Amino acid sequence: MPELTPDMPDTSSSLSFAITLGPLLYYWPRADVLRFYAEVADAPVERVYLGETVCTRRHELRHADWLDVARMLRDAGKEVVLSTPVLVESDSDIAVMRRVCEQDEFLVEANDLGAVRAMRGRPFLGGPHLNVYHADTLAWLGALGGRGAVVPVEMDHVTLAALAAARPVGMSLEAMVWGRMPLAFSARCFTARHHRLRKDACEFRCLDYPDGLVAETGEGQPFFALNGIQTQSASCLDLCAQVPELDAMGMDAVRVSPHASGTLAVVALLDALRDGAEAKPSGITPAGAPASNGYWTGQPGIHWMPDASGAPGVQGGA
């Protein structure tokens, strides 16, 4: 299994990036979660992130269950990372975060500064919500125990290249390349509000939306996807065609975000790139979502750039 470090050696092709699977952002029935990760065990991913990052009220899998899944994947040869919640605002959220940070069996993805502090100098990875835009931030995280970070989804390719070139020695970088983009979190649960329910009496309606609940503008254009307290793009980020450029600039790993359909097909496509396949858009999106890649060229994220340099065509939402 390749190490996700800036000096990752070349393998069978000129592309040396690792493929990672981000944490499951949606609320799926327990059987579906276990079935999905049983398939992931045989997929060509090097690293898998596990745990509840969106809403700690979700309880189809408890902490002990996530540890069981983690051990199964480790036995299958995967590196496993446990992810902490992003928005920590209650005693129960703090308890969940501390359980993840205080275990010493698996590496931790810290998704807020409280988790960074809870690690007490032990190794961790910075999640995308730490907003690492500069090498100085990477150096600061490294001094606290950080081994690397996932870059924010809205960074353009010029900024990404500059960050990769200026990062401290030994710090890895990972970029999300496929899936609905996480944009914001709120203390309010939008899914519960849609059903005119209180957050603390939500009836776990997120279970009805395995890829999020799409919200449209007044003109009927898909704009956001609601996922409990999380707001996502309605469109699906697709940077599969840009992965060779990410690899060339020194990005160590590319992240796929799990969805109810298409996830492992995209993983297979990325693996084929390492074997010399032509780089092109995946053509795969969850639940019929439009594709987008506007952030890559500094355009609004809602845009789809057919060649990542031509005139933008508005499709989904971001």
Side-chain angles (χ1 to χ4, degrees), residues 137-155:
T137 307
L138 272 178
W140 177 70
L141 289 176
L144 297 174
R147 289 174 42 182
V150 183
V151 299
V153 296
E154 69 272 18
M155 290 181 72

Side-chain angles (χ1 to χ4, degrees), residues 27 52 54-60 187-209 213 227-230:
Y27 195 26
E52 181 54 57
V54 176
C55 178
T56 59
R57 282 178 50 78
R58 297 174 176 179
H59 61 276
E60 289 286 302
R188 173 174 289 175
C189 177
F190 298 109
T191 306
R193 183 174 176 82
H194 173 77
H195 289 283
R196 293 178 169 81
L197 298 169
R198 299 192 314 275
K199 179 181 179 181
D200 58 357
C202 65
E203 300 176 1
F204 303 104
R205 290 298 183 93
C206 286
L207 281 168
D208 298 332
Y209 306 103
L213 169 63
N227 178 36
I229 66 171
Q230 183 185 57

Side-chain angles (χ1 to χ4, degrees), residues 221-233:
Q221 179 190 12
F223 193 57
F224 289 125
L226 307 179
N227 178 36
I229 66 171
Q230 183 185 57
T231 303
Q232 302 176 324
S233 62

Side-chain angles (χ1 to χ4, degrees), residues 1 40-48 73-74 76-80:
M1 179 176 62
V40 170
D42 296 324
V45 298
E46 282 70 55
R47 173 180 286 171
V48 182
L73 290 170
R74 182 179 59 192
K78 313 300 182 187
E79 181 180 10
V80 178

